[in-house]
């Protein structure tokens, strides 16, 4: 079969169960596509063919003797921020270019236990800092819809592999939008779960109070399958919540769209820099939801202007602390011939961290330094609480909030935005992480350059099922999520 990559996750799982094809065939199919097409996309940092085929054979055995779980034998790709035992885990950085993880992240371990097959590790902005994937040590990943554009970031590799059909779905992480924005730029569905829903154990830390892993796939249904695998309590992550996990697949039709109250924040649709076509596509998608019975309610989110400054204080502060572990001593890059210990620290860090990571460490260290701590960090924490409060107030009156995921479609590679321009592009995603809420991106059409546009739905805490269900029903009524980039139509 030449078109196995066109199947949904459900169809893949069913095809494996009914022995229409084996996991080895399916896995080899993707490996062949990667060999043929990934030179043009640059989405994989590491491809693991032997490992994948061994996992595929193990899954095929389980499938033969009837003991295979739902997703056994289905391939996936992991963002290179998740530790994988025995496989390089780089976080897109020269710092970890030589790092072979001695253990698996919980997300990776859960995927393995479910019988999923790891095709490899995919590219990302260095330490997940960025919105274009250009800050990777391994070079920019290309947007499959237009190879001259970025796929978004930081989970740009995860988005690109799915959009180019180089993996059926992928894991991503979202600290300030890194699942939703690349999903938006690449025409995919991506879910950022409630903080604490997916274990952060073995997920290389950027900003620990904001980081959260989640699924990136073509449809809400495909995301639901991956969520069923990776969500849940983990004693190894102290911020993981011990709360029952929904069956996201079983709940795909459980939320009534009829009567659903969708909040439309006035401030979000008046943001300077919101592209007219993005606005139009998002409004059209809301019309569709309205025709399905949803009620659109205008709301206020008064703290909108505070999102970017608050996030860009808290995230760098936490990053500066988290990244202090890369000292050239224990693991990671070490400079040549250090004069003394200080020289070792200094040169290892300045030779191996890229410009954006260094910028964040400097900002964060400054904000946390004695004398500035109260003025910056403590103040940002207080504003963070107000931002959360703003959402809680709104959720007394609406079920979900609608917004664009990003103010524009994908930038050109090398557009060379200034840091502030780049940060302003995160306006719609940051507050969700500051408040710890779940949110989803769904593809809702294209601009005149045939680049995808995304709708973001933000839910109250633990409403992942609801978000997936709303998008699933939207996807039963529309076909944006079925559109494929030209490169995905090519055969290996
Ligand atoms: N673009 C944001 C940043 O650069 C968010 C990144 C992320 O979610 N990892 O920090």
């Amino acid at each position: 079969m030449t078109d196995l990559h066109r199947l949904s996750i459900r169809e893949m799982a069913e095809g494996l169960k009914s022995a229409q094809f084996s996991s080895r065939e399916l896995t080899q199919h993707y490996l062949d596509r990667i060999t043929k097409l990934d030179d043009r996309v640059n989405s994989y940092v590491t491809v693991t063919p032997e490992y994948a085929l061994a996992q595929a054979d193990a899954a095929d055995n389980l499938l033969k003797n009837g003991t295979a779980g739902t997703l056994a034998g289905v391939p996936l790709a992991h963002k290179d921020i998740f530790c994988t035992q025995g496989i390089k885990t780089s976080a897109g950085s020269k710092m970890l270019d030589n790092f072979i993880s001695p253990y698996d992240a919980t997300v990776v371990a859960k995927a393995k236990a479910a019988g999923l097959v790891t095709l490899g590790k995919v590219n990302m902005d260095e330490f997940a800092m960025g919105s274009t994937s250009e800050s990777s040590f391994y070079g920019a990943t290309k947007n499959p819809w237009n190879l001259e554009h970025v796929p978004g970031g930081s989970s740009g590799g995860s988005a690109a592999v799915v959009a180019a059909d180089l993996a059926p779905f992928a894991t991503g992480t979202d600290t300030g939008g890194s699942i939703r924005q690349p999903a938006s730029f690449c025409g995919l569905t991506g879910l950022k779960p409630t903080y604490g829903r997916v274990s952060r154990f073995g997920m290389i830390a950027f900003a620990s109070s904001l980081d959260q892993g989640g699924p990136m796939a073509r449809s809400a249904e495909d995301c639901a399958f991956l969520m069923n695998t990776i969500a849940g309590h983990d004693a190894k992550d102290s911020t993981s919540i011990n709360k029952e996990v929904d069956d996201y697949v079983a709940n795909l039709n459980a939320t009534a769209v009829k009567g659903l109250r969708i909040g439309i924040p006035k401030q979000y649709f008046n943001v300077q820099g919101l592209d007219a076509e993005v606005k139009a596509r998002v409004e059209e998608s809301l019309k569709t939801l309205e025709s399905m019975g949803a009620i659109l309610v205008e709301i206020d989110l008064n703290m909108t202007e505070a999102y970017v400054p608050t996030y860009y204080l808290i995230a760098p502060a936490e990053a500066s602390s988290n990244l202090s572990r890369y000292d050239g001593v224990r693991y990671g890059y070490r400079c040549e011939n250090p004069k003394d210990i200080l020289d070792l620290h200094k040169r290892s860090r300045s030779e191996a961290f890229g410009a954006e990571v260094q910028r964040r460490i400097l900002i964060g260290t400054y904000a946390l330094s004695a004398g500035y701590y109260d003025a910056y960090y403590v103040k940002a924490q207080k504003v963070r609480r107000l931002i959360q409060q703003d959402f809680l107030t709104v959720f007394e009156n609406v079920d979900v909030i609608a917004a664009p995921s990003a103010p524009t479609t994908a930038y050109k590679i090398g557009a060379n935005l200034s840091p502030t321009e780049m940060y302003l592009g995160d306006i719609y995603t940051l507050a969700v992480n500051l408040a710890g809420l779940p949110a989803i991106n769904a593809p809702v059409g294209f601009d005149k350059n045939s680049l995808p546009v995304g709708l973001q739905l933000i839910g109250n805490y633990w409403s992942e099922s609801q978000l997936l269900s709303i998008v699933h029903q939207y996807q039963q009524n529309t076909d944006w999520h079925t559109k494929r980039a030209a490169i995905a139509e090519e055969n290996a």
Side-chain angles (χ1 to χ4, degrees):
M1 269 204 238
T2 54
D3 53 1
L4 288 173
H5 56 280
R6 297 185 141 272
L7 302 178
S8 69
I9 298 296
R10 185 188 290 279
E11 290 165 342
M12 263 179 213
E14 282 169 5
L16 288 163
K17 289 268 167 356
S18 56
Q20 287 169 47
F21 45 84
S22 66
S23 175
R24 179 170 263 270
E25 282 169 276
L26 182 61
T27 302
Q28 191 60 57
H29 178 80
Y30 276 99
L31 292 171
D32 291 346
R33 290 185 62 78
I34 295 167
T35 308
K36 162 113 188 281
L37 302 168
D38 196 38
D39 276 355
R40 281 145 67 196
V41 187
N42 192 35
S43 55
Y44 278 88
V45 173
T46 307
V47 188
T48 52
E50 292 95 36
Y51 182 71
L53 291 169
Q55 283 186 316
D57 289 343
D60 281 331
N61 278 331
L62 297 179
L63 285 158
K64 266 192 213 111
N65 65 33
T67 54
T70 315
L71 294 182
V74 176
L76 93 166
H78 286 297
K79 184 175 182 179
D80 210 14
I81 200 167
F82 288 101
C83 285
T84 39
Q85 187 176 9
I87 299 169
K88 177 163 105 170
T89 300
S90 73
S93 182
K94 179 175 177 183
M95 183 58 87
L96 293 178
D97 184 45
N98 63 1
F99 177 62
I100 310 285
S101 173
Y103 66 96
D104 278 328
T106 296
V107 162
V108 172
K110 283 185 173 236
K112 259 191 194 172
L116 283 157
V117 171
T118 307
L119 294 168
K121 307 289 296 292
V122 294
N123 207 9
M124 53 182 282
D125 277 300
E126 185 178 9
F127 284 103
M129 298 174 195
S131 311
T132 63
S133 299
E134 290 168 293
S135 75
S136 170
F137 176 58
Y138 304 96
T141 293
K142 319 287 164 56
N143 188 320
W145 289 95
N146 181 332
L147 299 171
E148 289 176 6
H149 288 250
V150 303
S154 65
S155 310
S158 308
V161 283
V162 180
D165 281 330
L166 303 178
F169 53 10
T171 53
T173 63
D174 191 313
T175 303
S178 282
I179 287 176
R180 291 159 285 157
Q181 184 258 25
S184 174
F185 280 12
C186 290
L188 303 175
T189 309
L191 175 73
K192 183 262 169 208
T194 307
Y195 184 75
R197 182 70 296 175
V198 171
S199 170
R200 294 184 301 108
F201 179 75
M203 199 175 102
I204 292 176
F206 163 11
S208 305
S209 76
L210 303 161
D211 297 341
Q212 186 62 198
M216 299 176 70
R218 290 205 174 271
S219 65
E221 183 183 80
D222 291 359
C223 283
F225 277 105
L226 192 48
M227 270 303 278
N228 273 5
T229 308
I230 64 175
H233 179 242
D234 180 10
K236 292 180 190 151
D237 170 4
S238 61
T239 62
S240 153
I241 303 283
N242 198 350
K243 182 181 188 330
E244 209 185 315
V245 182
D246 292 341
D247 182 335
Y248 302 102
V249 175
N251 286 348
L252 279 168
N253 288 302
T255 298
V257 174
K258 194 167 164 39
L260 183 84
R261 292 173 64 80
I262 303 180
I264 316 290
K266 275 204 269 303
Q267 291 80 355
Y268 283 28
F269 288 82
N270 290 324
V271 161
Q272 224 194 351
L274 172 57
D275 179 88
E277 282 196 278
V278 170
K279 188 173 180 196
R281 291 304 93 75
V282 167
E283 284 172 351
E284 285 156 22
S285 71
L286 293 172
K287 283 257 152 33
T288 304
L289 284 163
E290 199 174 28
S291 73
M292 291 163 62
I295 302 160
L296 307 185
V297 189
E298 197 175 74
I299 56 164
D300 277 303
L301 282 172
N302 289 311
M303 298 297 294
T304 306
E305 279 183 10
Y307 297 169
V308 174
T310 306
Y311 172 89
Y312 277 99
L313 247 153
I314 292 175
E318 294 184 13
S320 74
S321 163
N322 274 325
L323 271 59
S324 64
R325 73 189 62 166
Y326 305 105
D327 55 6
V329 177
R330 286 165 293 186
Y331 54 86
Y333 178 83
R334 178 181 292 184
C335 69
E336 302 271 346
N337 306 318
K339 279 204 308 283
D340 51 29
I341 185 76
L342 205 61
D343 186 48
L344 168 75
H345 291 328
K346 264 202 207 157
R347 279 205 291 123
S348 299
R349 288 167 69 79
S350 46
E351 287 169 20
F353 284 140
E356 184 60 27
V357 172
Q358 294 195 25
R359 179 178 299 117
R360 308 264 179 132
I361 292 173
L362 288 172
I363 295 172
T365 307
Y366 183 82
L368 290 176
S369 59
Y372 293 107
Y373 187 85
D374 289 339
Y376 292 116
Y377 187 68
V378 171
K379 189 144 184 203
Q381 291 289 22
K382 288 180 178 165
V383 178
R384 177 179 191 172
R385 176 51 63 95
L386 294 177
I387 292 170
Q388 180 197 33
Q389 194 52 55
D390 220 16
F391 280 107
L392 292 178
T393 308
V394 160
F395 281 128
E396 286 170 13
N397 184 33
V398 300
D399 299 304
V400 292
I401 297 166
S405 286
T408 65
T409 53
Y411 317 114
K412 269 215 143 152
I413 291 175
N416 238 337
L417 302 183
S418 73
T420 351
E421 285 169 323
M422 184 86 87
Y423 299 167
L424 284 170
D426 296 335
I427 175 96
Y428 294 120
T429 48
L430 303 174
V432 162
N433 302 73
L434 289 167
L437 295 165
I440 194 165
N441 176 78
V444 295
F446 297 86
D447 70 3
K448 58 178 177 306
N449 301 317
S450 306
L451 289 167
V453 174
L455 162 74
Q456 178 180 203
L457 293 177
I458 303 167
N460 208 337
Y461 297 105
W462 317 113
S463 65
E464 289 81 3
S465 274
Q466 196 187 11
L467 295 175
L468 289 164
S469 174
I470 298 163
V471 171
H472 176 69
Q473 293 172 71
Y474 172 82
Q475 291 176 338
Q476 301 306 295
N477 284 278
T478 54
D479 61 359
W480 301 118
H481 65 293
T482 67
K483 305 278 185 217
R484 278 178 152 78
I487 194 163
E489 304 282 5
E490 289 182 38
N491 285 325

